[in-house]
Amino acid sequence: MRWLDPLEALPRIAEVLPGLLAGQADPARTALLRAGGDALSVRMDRAPARVREVARELAVSERQLRNLFTEGVGVSPKHYARIDRVRAVASRAGSTRWSELAAATGYFDQSHMTTDFRALMGVPPRSYFTGRLPATTPCQAVRASVTGSTGGTGGARRPLPRPAPPPRAAGPGG
């Protein structure tokens, strides 16, 4: 076996990997996962469907849909939909007012959109788009490899510390 130069390796991986993965995936599960992802995603002409509606539409239980997403995507369908809505907000920001953007992406109101955005991105939308970003923190796995420990919790998961909020700007609209 010869070692590939990194510039040679990437095209080779792109050529070989899909064939290897296709043999592992069940086409019916893949089709269900894609249909579920599509239904839970924000589109220009519609808001995302609820998990219960998607499960009913796909003729599976909510539990089966949750297991399918957790196994195939790595997150629950609800969390997937939440990430997709925040992604839609990020891609459309600046082209419309915040309240209109919240409605167009399936949020009840602007405050719900801001809450989701802050939870996933660490700052509210306005701060994010004006460059006031939270401090970066390494993930737990990186921290453990650097310190040589699992954090002293005996294998139990411990939430990461939340980043400190950005300093408040003086004046309105912060």
Side-chain angles (χ1 to χ4, degrees), residues 36-104:
D38 184 53
L40 291 167
S41 297
V42 175
R43 298 284 180 258
M44 291 299 277
D45 59 337
R46 66 166 171 80
R50 295 178 180 264
V51 173
R52 174 176 284 140
E53 296 165 358
V54 172
R56 187 174 38 238
E57 187 178 306
L58 297 176
V60 298
S61 70
E62 287 182 58
R63 181 182 213 160
Q64 287 173 314
L65 185 63
R66 185 176 51 251
N67 291 340
L68 180 69
F69 264 78
T70 302
E71 183 182 301
V73 179
V75 296
S76 70
K78 186 174 182 176
H79 195 71
Y80 173 87
R82 191 176 186 202
I83 291 168
D84 187 73
R85 290 201 303 180
V86 168
R87 182 204 51 80
V89 168
S91 68
R92 297 179 189 173
S95 62
T96 186
R97 293 183 356 201
W98 292 116
S99 58
E100 292 170 1
L101 184 57

Side-chain angles (χ1 to χ4, degrees):
M1 175 178 207
R2 82 176 178 94
W3 290 97
L4 292 176
D5 178 84
L7 295 176
E8 293 176 309
L10 189 56
R12 178 73 179 141
I13 291 170
E15 175 187 330
V16 173
L17 190 58
L20 295 173
L21 294 177
Q24 300 293 322
D26 175 6
R29 290 179 67 84
T30 301
L32 270 176
L33 188 57
R34 286 189 178 166
D38 184 53
L40 291 167
S41 297
V42 175
R43 298 284 180 258
M44 291 299 277
D45 59 337
R46 66 166 171 80
R50 295 178 180 264
V51 173
R52 174 176 284 140
E53 296 165 358
V54 172
R56 187 174 38 238
E57 187 178 306
L58 297 176
V60 298
S61 70
E62 287 182 58
R63 181 182 213 160
Q64 287 173 314
L65 185 63
R66 185 176 51 251
N67 291 340
L68 180 69
F69 264 78
T70 302
E71 183 182 301
V73 179
V75 296
S76 70
K78 186 174 182 176
H79 195 71
Y80 173 87
R82 191 176 186 202
I83 291 168
D84 187 73
R85 290 201 303 180
V86 168
R87 182 204 51 80
V89 168
S91 68
R92 297 179 189 173
S95 62
T96 186
R97 293 183 356 201
W98 292 116
S99 58
E100 292 170 1
L101 184 57
T105 52
Y107 286 101
F108 182 73
D109 58 22
Q110 184 179 342
S111 69
H112 284 89
M113 177 189 75
T114 300
T115 299
D116 259 7
F117 198 97
R118 182 190 306 259
L120 292 175
M121 303 301 283
V123 292
R126 188 179 311 252
S127 295
Y128 181 84
F129 292 105
T130 57
R132 292 181 286 166
L133 306 176
T136 58
T137 57
C139 70
Q140 193 169 1
V142 170
R143 218 178 303 142
S145 69
V146 170
T147 62
S149 72
T150 61
T153 61
R157 289 192 170 174
R158 187 173 38 142
L160 293 175
R162 293 185 60 99
R168 294 291 239 172

